[in-house]
């Protein structure tokens, strides 16, 4: 049986067990998950109980006495708590339970939660009470034993556990003799259903079972507790048995007997093992999670330090996976992750550890590598494995894989340090074009510090007024009039000078500063545009991250009001990634902005996951053809075909078209012929500060 099939069987086992309530608690005692047995025993479904404290199952008196708290304290201190007692169902009824709470620790000894297994033993408890009562009555009133015999047989027969009474002839050291009593459960477990009463242990039972029972008798003779859970070869196969023993005197004074009550806890322990597995593995891919990965990485580092080898970590991240998730839904995304996990598993060695750290982030631990190129070869195998398209429900998806590699040093490395270095190398791989790997090198740490410093300086710049807007003219079709300007943010650092937007906008998006930065840009652009005498429009870019801000519409309305700028003079440019999500919330936000009276433009159209159907998702006022098509249209038939498709559809929908990146007269004339209504590019002017902007064009005709 493979590890994956074994894990599946365990998972199905836990979910299908109905005789045991099996669930996890976090370190505070809150319920984390819930199986069918728990629902059956306690009456709550998972939605009603997950997240609530397990003390809800105790009576008010027990809670006042602190029993739930004492149980967790015992489990923390001794790693295990076991007790029997009354608990409450959802409907308020009581039931007698056997409760086991096991503390779950990671390899460093840190408590990560508790495994709780509860079994409704009300019937057994009542039967055992009756059995004890019957035993006491039998000893006190030996003359009534005959009349009670039938009753005792009935009780013993119906006890869920295996019950054996063994004649010890007054001396336990001599070992058990004749089997005085064996209920149906004992016969099934120990002899395969064959009769046992009146025979000796050695005479009717297998060697392992006989040895187990003899061991219980010896422990009772010496006053020791019965052995812990024992694996015994029984007629049912290898089973884990848990027994309790009681020594009693025969009512006729003819010696002693040993009462053995045995439970088969094989399924219970298997369920606990599965819970432990689930605590260390992800639910979707069944790969190790971050906690387990950290343990394996620390072990690999320790092993490499002992034998002079290296441990390597590969930090993996899918390229553009979020776009697919947003465009097609998380169901498709999950299917890709499952297929991806299967491909990645085939590329790692048996002693490597592949883990999913969260979302589309994966990582691999390579223990005991001798050379750096071993890690590089492993990275290349993973990238190649992900390259073929994923075919799902009639759709084909292609994603890339970026990988950052970090290698432990002989001078000493920590797991935290390797993860940090791996993340830096991953960032570099994405920065250098994606779908590739990069090996950590010391200068990347310096670059990371620079990015951190940029973040710090950007926060200061927002408060010191170091940011300003530059404006690039947008020209009407005839080429002789400026209809508006695109506002582009610029940062003049007091020490480093001009910092390009590509060096700080991504950092602003990563850190959430884009919301404050975007609001600043919007306010500056509206205030400066309000002073223009020619009534030109101003176009302001909105980051996709800004669209997640519920205050966006309010921010735009306040910027217009504070500046006194008519709404029709403001044009907001969004990118296609906003449409990829295609959620009702984004459409409502776009419509709310439109209702303010501002114009909405679709920027960089034709790139990424573009689709002409986007133009039907929302009534855009303008679309902007990406400058890459303008640049290539003279040499690429495909670029010209895309331009013509966009202009044709936009013309029929009465949507204005701006061609970006126009740098030559030839491009300008051709785009006029193709039907573009507006133009923007270095041919007409570069972005400059408001006071230096071009207000009119001299001597330009229609070409």
């Amino acid at each position: 049986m493979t590890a994956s099939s074994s894990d599946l069987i365990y998972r199905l086992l836990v979910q299908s067990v109905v005789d045991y309530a099996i669930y996890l608690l976090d370190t505070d005692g809150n319920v984390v998950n819930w199986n069918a047995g728990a629902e059956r025993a306690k009456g709550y479904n998972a939605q009603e109980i997950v997240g609530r404290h397990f003390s809800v199952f105790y009576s008010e008196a027990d809670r006042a006495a602190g029993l739930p708290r004492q149980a967790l304290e015992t489990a923390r201190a001794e790693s295990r708590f076991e007790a029997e007692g009354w608990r409450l169902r959802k409907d308020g009824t009581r039931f007698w339970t056997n409760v086991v709470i096991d503390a779950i620790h990671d390899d460093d000894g840190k408590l990560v939660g508790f495994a709780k297994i509860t079994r409704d033993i009300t019937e057994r408890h009542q039967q055992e009470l009756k059995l004890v009562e019957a035993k006491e009555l039998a000893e006190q009133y030996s003359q009534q034993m005959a009349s009670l015999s039938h009753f005792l047989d009935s009780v013993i027969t119906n006890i869920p556990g295996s019950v054996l009474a063994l004649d010890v002839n007054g001396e336990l050291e001599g070992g058990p003799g004749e089997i005085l009593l064996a209920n149906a459960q004992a016969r099934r477990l120990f002899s395969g259903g064959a009769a046992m009463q009146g025979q000796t242990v050695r005479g009717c039972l297998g060697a392992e079972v006989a040895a187990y029972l003899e061991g219980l008798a010896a422990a009772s003779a010496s006053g020791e507790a019965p052995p812990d859970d024992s694996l015994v070869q029984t007629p049912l196969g290898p089973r884990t048995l848990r027994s309790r023993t009681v020594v009693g005197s025969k009512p006729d004074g003819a010696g002693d007997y040993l009462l053995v009550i045995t439970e088969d806890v094989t399924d219970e322990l298997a369920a606990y093992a599965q819970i432990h597995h689930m605590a260390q593995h992800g639910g979707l891919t069944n790969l190790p999670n971050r906690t387990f990965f950290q343990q394996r990485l620390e072990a690999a580092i320790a092993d490499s330090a002992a034998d002079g080898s290296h441990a390597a970590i590969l930090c993996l991240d899918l390229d553009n996976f979020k776009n697919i998730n947003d465009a097609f839904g998380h169901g498709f995304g999950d299917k890709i992750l499952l297929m991806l996990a299967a491909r990645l598993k085939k590329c790692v060695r048996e002693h490597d550890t592949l883990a999913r750290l969260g979302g589309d982030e994966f990582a691999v631990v390579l223990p005991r590598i001798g050379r750096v190129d071993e890690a590089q070869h492993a990275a290349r195998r993973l990238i190649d494995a992900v390259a073929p398209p994923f075919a799902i429900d009639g759709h084909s998806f292609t994603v890339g894989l970026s990988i950052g590699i970090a290698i432990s040093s002989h001078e000493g490395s920590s797991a935290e340090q390797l993860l940090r270095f791996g993340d830096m190398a991953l960032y570099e791989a994405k920065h250098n074009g994606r779908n590739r790997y990069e090996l950590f090198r010391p200068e990347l740490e310096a670059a990371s510090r620079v990015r951190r410093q940029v973040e710090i300086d950007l926060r200061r710049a927002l408060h010191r007024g170091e940011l300003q807007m530059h404006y690039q003219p947008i020209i009407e079709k005839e080429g002789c009039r400026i209809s508006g300007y695109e506002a582009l943010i610029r940062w003049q650092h007091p020490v480093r000078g001009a910092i390009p937007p590509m060096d700080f906008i991504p950092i602003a998006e990563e850190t959430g500063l884009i919301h404050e930065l975007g609001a600043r840009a919007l306010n500056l652009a509206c205030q400066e545009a309000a002073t223009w005498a020619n009534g030109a429009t101003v176009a302001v870019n909105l980051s996709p991250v800004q669209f997640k801000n519920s205050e966006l519409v309010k921010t735009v309305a306040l910027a217009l009001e504070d500046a006194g700028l008519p709404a029709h003079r403001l044009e907001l440019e969004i990118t296609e990634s906003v449409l990829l999500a295609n959620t009702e919330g984004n459409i409502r936000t776009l419509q709310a902005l439109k209702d303010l009276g501002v114009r909405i433009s679709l920027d960089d159209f034709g790139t990424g996951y573009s689709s002409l159907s986007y133009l039907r998702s929302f009534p855009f006022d303008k679309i902007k053809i990406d400058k890459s098509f303008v640049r290539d249209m003279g040499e690429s038939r495909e670029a010209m075909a895309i331009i013509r498709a966009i202009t044709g559809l936009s013309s029929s929908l009465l949507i204005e078209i701006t061609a970006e990146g126009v740098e030559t007269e030839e491009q300008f004339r051709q785009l006029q012929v193709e039907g573009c209504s507006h133009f923007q590019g270095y041919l007409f002017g570069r972005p400059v500060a408001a006071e230096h902007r071009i207000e009119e064009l001299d001597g330009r005709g229609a070409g």
Side-chain angles (χ1 to χ4, degrees), residues 360-382:
D360 60 339
E361 298 178 35
F362 294 79
V364 179
V365 173
L366 304 177
R368 290 192 170 96
I369 64 170
R371 303 184 313 276
V372 172
D373 62 358
E374 293 180 42
Q376 293 172 314
H377 291 327
R380 174 46 58 190
R381 288 196 304 272
L382 294 170

Side-chain angles (χ1 to χ4, degrees), residues 32 48 64 69-70 75 235 346 359 368 375-376 424 442 549 589 595 618 631 678:
V32 175
E48 293 174 318
R69 174 180 53 78
Q70 294 170 13
K346 294 179 180 179
R368 290 192 170 96
Q376 293 172 314
M424 291 178 189
N549 189 341
T589 299
D595 292 343
F618 182 80
R631 181 189 64 233
H678 295 78

Side-chain angles (χ1 to χ4, degrees), residues 108-165:
D108 292 332
K110 179 182 177 182
L111 179 69
V112 297
F114 302 92
K116 191 168 187 293
I117 301 176
T118 303
R119 184 179 180 187
D120 183 349
I121 58 170
T122 306
E123 181 180 355
R124 190 187 77 183
H125 174 66
Q126 293 171 344
Q127 292 169 346
E128 288 180 348
L129 289 178
K130 293 177 181 179
L131 179 62
V132 171
E133 180 182 1
K135 178 178 179 294
E136 291 174 351
L137 287 172
E139 291 176 349
Q140 183 178 0
Y141 306 105
S142 59
Q143 67 275 16
Q144 299 179 7
M145 282 296 295
S147 63
L148 292 175
S149 177
H150 180 72
F151 169 71
L152 287 175
D153 287 344
S154 175
V155 171
I156 293 171
T157 298
N158 290 288
I159 289 177
S162 300
V163 178
L164 285 177

Side-chain angles (χ1 to χ4, degrees), residues 1-47:
M1 183 179 294
T2 64
S4 60
S5 62
S6 176
D7 289 345
L8 176 60
I9 291 171
Y10 277 135
R11 181 178 300 176
L12 292 174
L13 172 64
V14 172
Q15 294 302 324
S16 61
V17 167
V18 295
D19 292 331
Y20 292 85
I22 303 172
Y23 50 97
L24 288 174
L25 305 178
D26 62 22
T27 55
D28 294 324
N30 298 310
V31 177
V32 175
N33 57 25
W34 199 244
N35 80 330
E39 182 172 348
R40 175 184 174 187
K42 306 196 178 191
Y44 296 93
N45 60 40
Q47 290 75 18

Side-chain angles (χ1 to χ4, degrees), residues 164-167 176-182 187 191 193-205 213:
L164 285 177
L166 307 176
D167 185 3
E178 180 183 347
I179 299 174
L180 303 175
L181 179 148
R187 293 193 298 273
S191 67
M196 299 169 59
Q197 191 167 335
Q199 303 182 63
T200 63
V201 168
R202 287 285 177 181
C204 68
L205 301 179
L213 295 176

